[in-house]
Amino acid sequence: MELRSSIKYLKGVGEKRAAMLAKLGICTLWDLLTFYPRTYEDWSKITSIRNAPMNENVCIKAIVGMPCKEHRIRKGMTLYKTEVTDGEMLLDITFFNNPYSAKKLEQGKEYLFFGRITGKGYFRSMNSPEFTEAEDSDTIRPIYPQTAGMNSKAIEKLVRTAFQYAEKPVDPLPEEIRNSYCLMELNDALRNIHFPESEDMLSEARRRLIFEELFLLELGLL
């Protein structure tokens, strides 16, 4: 697909989602590829339950010890609880009014859990964590600005689809300049600003995109 193509023609979008994306300034494929994450979640650094700092976002690798149990607290509030272990300590996991997430967790299976740990003494808990199967590659995950009906995960999925179907962008920086300043090609920079292979690659992607912006601004001033 051409980068100038309307976003509504991208697989998984359509007229309704295109209207939602337009509120974020995303009207074309190119707009989507240059809609950069506002921050990142680092799932590449796995912490043990025992050593996890309190009230900070951490990634825990643990096995689900039992199926999620439903607890009706009051009308309109249902908790789903389970215990997971990393082999050293237990961690209580709680979801609020979210049976879908609770059903996805399978007893005896290992997952990565991302969220804030709270507790006292030997008790540790994590409320409403994000999670994925442990065999999925641990990555630095993008978090995007959101709008009604389009959360960060939905936008991430569309960006992955865009990289799959969109034509490769033409790099405005000549190869000679890129080599002189050890800069990534534009396509590599875009991929690593959205889905960094590592912290170093994210840093290099930012450096490349900032250089291009300043370079083109200077050319315009001249």
Side-chain angles (χ1 to χ4, degrees):
M1 294 178 65
E2 292 185 0
L3 295 173
R4 293 174 296 175
S5 299
S6 171
I7 194 66
K8 69 180 180 182
Y9 297 120
L10 181 65
K11 182 179 179 181
V13 180
E15 296 282 356
K16 187 176 179 180
R17 275 192 158 186
M20 297 175 185
L21 291 168
K23 295 178 182 178
L24 296 170
I26 303 172
C27 299
T28 66
L29 279 180
W30 180 245
D31 292 337
L32 181 60
L33 293 181
T34 53
F35 186 72
Y36 303 140
R38 62 176 176 80
T39 188
Y40 300 86
E41 291 178 348
D42 192 351
W43 292 54
S44 65
K45 296 177 180 177
I46 297 173
T47 306
S48 68
I49 298 172
R50 185 185 303 277
N51 295 325
M54 295 291 185
N55 299 307
E56 293 182 20
N57 282 331
V58 294
C59 186
I60 302 292
K61 181 183 284 188
I63 297 173
V64 176
M66 61 183 183
C68 280
K69 293 183 179 179
E70 181 179 309
H71 301 268
R72 294 184 182 275
I73 305 302
R74 60 179 184 274
K75 186 177 180 181
M77 174 60 75
T78 302
L79 305 183
Y80 299 88
K81 290 176 168 286
T82 186
E83 278 185 345
V84 303
T85 179
D86 61 0
E88 293 185 353
M89 286 190 71
L90 294 175
L91 176 68
D92 279 1
I93 300 291
T94 302
F95 298 100
F96 299 88
N97 291 334
N98 193 346
Y100 174 73
S101 290
K103 289 177 181 178
K104 285 179 67 177
L105 289 178
E106 298 179 27
Q107 184 178 9
K109 199 166 185 177
E110 191 172 41
Y111 296 86
L112 296 177
F113 297 91
F114 189 92
R116 293 177 184 271
I117 286 185
T118 58
K120 189 177 290 186
Y122 289 102
F123 177 77
R124 297 286 186 274
S125 65
M126 184 181 282
N127 294 333
S128 302
E130 297 286 336
F131 64 90
T132 187
E133 294 182 11
E135 55 262 30
D136 292 348
S137 56
D138 341 324
T139 57
I140 301 173
R141 300 190 171 185
I143 304 298
Y144 296 92
Q146 303 176 111
T147 187
M150 289 296 298
N151 60 26
S152 179
K153 279 190 174 181
I155 295 172
E156 177 185 348
K157 186 175 181 180
L158 292 179
V159 174
R160 291 186 185 278
T161 303
F163 276 119
Q164 184 178 354
Y165 291 104
E167 65 181 358
K168 184 177 178 179
V170 176
D171 198 323
L173 295 181
E175 184 177 359
E176 181 181 351
I177 291 179
R178 294 201 308 271
N179 290 340
S180 296
Y181 292 92
C182 298
L183 299 170
M184 289 180 174
E185 289 187 3
L186 176 58
N187 193 54
D188 292 335
L190 289 174
R191 286 183 177 275
N192 277 282
I193 204 70
H194 287 286
F195 310 114
E197 297 175 19
S198 65
E199 289 185 2
D200 287 342
M201 293 294 275
L202 174 58
S203 177
E204 286 302 309
R206 283 174 169 156
R207 189 172 73 88
R208 151 66 212 235
L209 294 171
I210 291 171
F211 181 97
E212 178 185 324
E213 184 177 346
L214 294 176
F215 180 76
L216 296 178
L217 177 62
E218 179 124 349
L219 287 180
L221 292 174
L222 290 175

